[in-house]
Amino acid sequence: MDLSNENVIHIKHDEIEYLQFKRLNQYPEISHAYILKPIDLRSHNLNDVVQNYNVIFEDLNLRIETLLRPHQKHTNNVLGIREKKNKNKPDINMEYLENMDGVITDKSEITLATTNADCILFLIYDPVNKIIANVHSGWRGTFAKIVEVAIKKMINEYGSKSEDITVCICPSIRKCHFEVDVDVKEEFEKIFSYTNRLDEIIQDGEIKEGKQKYFIDTILINKIILQDLGVKKENIIDSGICSVCAHEKIHSRRADGIDYGLGSAIIQKKEL
């Protein structure tokens, strides 16, 4: 299965596979990737996690000690990174990264990482001010509008302008498979009724075991949030890939069950 399309390139080097956004590849100062199977970043063994990242880092000619990965908890907390705490090893499972689902930096040689297994990951870049961000947004993060928090932080604390910002949307569960019960559907209605686009966002599904099911388009919601902030439509670059539909290559909790693995998105501003 080749996942390449108009917005992404599927890279295969032996057992290594990852996606890159064509837009971000236009910037020589940026390295990035969305890591595919068989690499799995879920292990509770930190050494295994670092070794698995290092396979991709070596392929991208990055140093593993530049890695910084927050401890995601489905919040809307976004942390500005001024420096890494560890100088000679990755910053993973560190107290200052606890309960963070987004990270931003204007510093070079810091590789921001997030993980997912159906949730949305956003790789964000302001090429004018050279600011990078990496944001994790599951449905709870979408409720809390974490991508809005991140963009506003880039604007208010780093001097970005929304019209300069590019947002790349990594593979994630899409409307075709994000099936929910009425309680979640009603919460989406309550929070996002202001968009006047609920007929596009929410679709009736089947009745299963006497319960009406619904399908939610969290990608569309986040695109609306971004455009309301002033991010240009042409600068919202969607991979267009559903993690469930493409679970042969992409980690998916819904498709793979309790033994699901984790994919990861990484982005670094290089020192040129």
Side-chain angles (χ1 to χ4, degrees), residues 5-258:
N5 59 38
E6 63 180 357
N7 288 328
V8 297
I9 301 170
H10 187 161
I11 308 294
K12 302 178 184 180
H13 294 159
D14 298 323
E15 295 300 312
I16 301 170
E17 297 191 36
Y18 54 90
L19 301 179
Q20 290 188 321
F21 285 90
K22 295 177 182 179
R23 172 68 68 86
L24 293 180
N25 281 344
Q26 294 176 10
Y27 303 109
E29 69 274 18
I30 294 296
S31 286
H32 78 287
Y34 177 77
I35 303 169
L36 303 174
K37 291 179 178 179
I39 293 176
D40 179 6
L41 287 312
R42 189 186 178 196
S43 175
H44 294 293
N45 185 310
L46 182 58
N47 288 332
D48 289 344
V49 170
V50 172
Q51 288 176 12
N52 285 338
Y53 270 114
N54 197 43
V55 172
I56 297 294
F57 274 54
E58 288 182 347
D59 201 69
L60 294 172
N61 197 29
L62 304 178
R63 295 180 296 111
I64 192 62
E65 57 266 29
T66 66
L67 174 63
L68 181 150
R69 192 178 83 176
H71 192 183
Q72 301 164 192
K73 287 297 180 82
H74 296 279
T75 70
N76 69 345
N77 297 328
V78 180
L79 182 65
I81 303 296
R82 299 302 179 184
E83 63 177 359
K84 283 180 74 272
K85 303 301 183 185
N86 292 322
K87 301 302 180 185
N88 299 311
K89 62 181 181 179
D91 282 14
I92 301 178
N93 296 341
M94 298 188 68
E95 185 176 353
Y96 83 100
L97 296 172
E98 189 73 23
N99 296 319
M100 292 294 162
D101 284 81
V103 277
I104 300 171
T105 193
D106 58 354
K107 306 302 182 184
S108 301
E109 301 297 316
I110 296 178
T111 306
L112 307 179
T114 54
T115 59
N116 74 339
D118 285 333
C119 296
I120 304 170
L121 302 183
F122 299 98
L123 292 177
I124 305 174
Y125 186 47
D126 168 4
V128 175
N129 292 286
K130 304 294 190 292
I131 314 297
I132 58 172
N134 197 338
V135 176
H136 163 263
S137 180
W139 59 270
R140 292 179 182 87
T142 296
F143 279 172
K145 299 182 181 179
I146 186 173
V147 75
E148 178 179 294
V149 173
I151 297 296
K152 286 183 174 180
K153 195 175 186 75
M154 291 177 69
I155 293 169
N156 295 330
E157 298 183 22
Y158 290 87
S160 294
K161 295 180 180 179
S162 56
E163 60 265 29
D164 296 329
I165 293 172
T166 290
V167 181
C168 295
I169 305 174
C170 296
S172 64
I173 194 168
R174 304 286 163 143
K175 186 179 182 181
C176 54
H177 281 99
F178 185 42
E179 184 182 66
V180 303
D181 290 321
V182 66
D183 57 336
V184 177
K185 171 253 194 184
E186 288 178 346
E187 191 68 18
F188 273 101
E189 287 179 327
K190 182 171 68 174
I191 296 172
F192 298 107
S193 60
Y194 74 90
T195 65
N196 295 316
R197 296 178 67 177
L198 290 178
D199 57 334
E200 298 174 70
I201 292 168
I202 302 172
Q203 176 184 328
D204 289 354
E206 299 178 0
I207 297 175
K208 297 181 180 179
E209 299 179 355
K211 293 183 178 181
Q212 176 69 54
K213 300 290 186 177
Y214 303 90
F215 292 97
I216 309 291
D217 193 338
T218 56
I219 299 294
L220 176 57
I221 290 171
N222 281 285
K223 287 179 177 179
I224 292 169
I225 291 170
L226 289 165
Q227 289 183 69
D228 284 349
L229 288 166
V231 178
K232 295 179 179 179
K233 184 176 181 180
E234 60 266 30
N235 288 339
I236 302 172
I237 313 300
D238 187 3
S239 68
I241 298 170
C242 175
S243 52
V244 180
C245 292
H247 71 271
E248 178 185 331
K249 294 291 184 183
I250 297 171
H251 293 286
S252 167
R253 183 169 186 168
R254 291 220 175 188
D256 299 332
I258 59 172

